[in-house]
Amino acid sequence: MTNTLPPALILAAGLGTRLRPLTYSRAKAAVPVAGIPLIRRQVTKLTAIGIREVVVNLHHRPETIAAVLGDGHAQGCQIRYSWEHEVLGSAGGPRHALPLLDKQFFLVNGDTLANVDLTSLWNTHVSCGARVTLAVTTHPAPDRYGGIVANTDGWATGVARAGEHRNALHFVGVQVAHSDVF
């Protein structure tokens, strides 16, 4: 549908408390997975499909992420950083980074490895005119965790708590958003 993909914002400001003691010395997104820092894996995937602008929000141990990525030249993109002096939360981080982004952008959780076809996600987002398009999959444990409830056309109609909806979908931490939702 379109050859130009928007920039991506990687959310990497979290404290990484569930990965302690690994995150005492580095940000969660800088923790290696099979020898390669998670955030480098994400940037490599983004640049492989043609994304050339990446913004990373930072808070906890920001120097460890900056040391892995630098300015992005080695990965074939431009990387800029959105520094959070205090963790701003799920919507606050993107809102703070808006001056560094376009009107629409990918939003990727910095602690997630997901095999999402980002080009298809983008094309779906553009073709349906949504303000936010979430990458979802079949929920592996709807009785244990909440999920997204959607109608037969794929539009989200609500959020289910654990056990409330057997057909709830699982959000995988990747989305496309329009800046005005923040």
Side-chain angles (χ1 to χ4, degrees):
M1 172 171 279
T2 180
N3 293 331
T4 305
L5 294 172
L9 170 61
I10 301 175
L11 300 175
L15 300 176
T17 57
R18 290 175 291 186
L19 280 184
R20 285 183 182 156
L22 296 174
T23 54
Y24 285 141
S25 62
R26 70 188 95 197
K28 181 166 46 171
V31 171
V33 174
I36 300 170
L38 177 58
I39 196 145
R40 182 172 300 224
R41 290 178 177 278
Q42 291 174 320
V43 170
T44 298
K45 181 173 181 168
L46 294 170
T47 58
I49 64 162
I51 293 174
R52 296 294 170 247
E53 295 180 46
V54 177
V55 176
V56 181
N57 79 330
L58 301 173
H59 175 72
H60 175 68
R61 301 305 309 244
E63 73 284 357
T64 62
I65 291 176
V68 167
L69 297 177
D71 65 3
H73 180 75
Q75 292 85 24
C77 65
Q78 176 189 19
I79 295 177
R80 293 178 290 171
Y81 298 100
S82 176
W83 300 84
E84 295 181 19
H85 297 290
E86 295 178 24
V87 175
L88 299 174
S90 298
R95 187 178 322 115
H96 184 70
L98 288 178
L100 303 174
L101 296 161
D102 290 346
K103 287 193 182 285
Q104 297 187 93
F105 53 94
F106 286 101
L107 191 53
V108 180
N109 290 358
D111 59 357
T112 300
L113 281 177
N115 189 18
V116 175
D117 182 341
L118 296 174
T119 302
S120 291
L121 184 68
W122 171 248
N123 290 336
T124 298
H125 176 77
V126 171
S127 68
C128 70
R131 307 315 281 160
V132 175
T133 302
L134 303 175
V136 295
T137 189
T138 304
H139 205 307
D143 289 332
R144 190 169 174 199
Y145 303 104
I148 305 297
V149 179
N151 65 21
T152 56
D153 293 327
W155 289 90
T157 59
V159 177
R161 291 186 180 168
E164 283 184 346
H165 200 283
R166 300 272 325 138
N167 295 321
L169 298 167
H170 180 65
F171 172 57
V172 298
V174 178
Q175 59 192 295
V176 182
H178 195 285
S179 62
D180 65 10
V181 301
F182 297 99

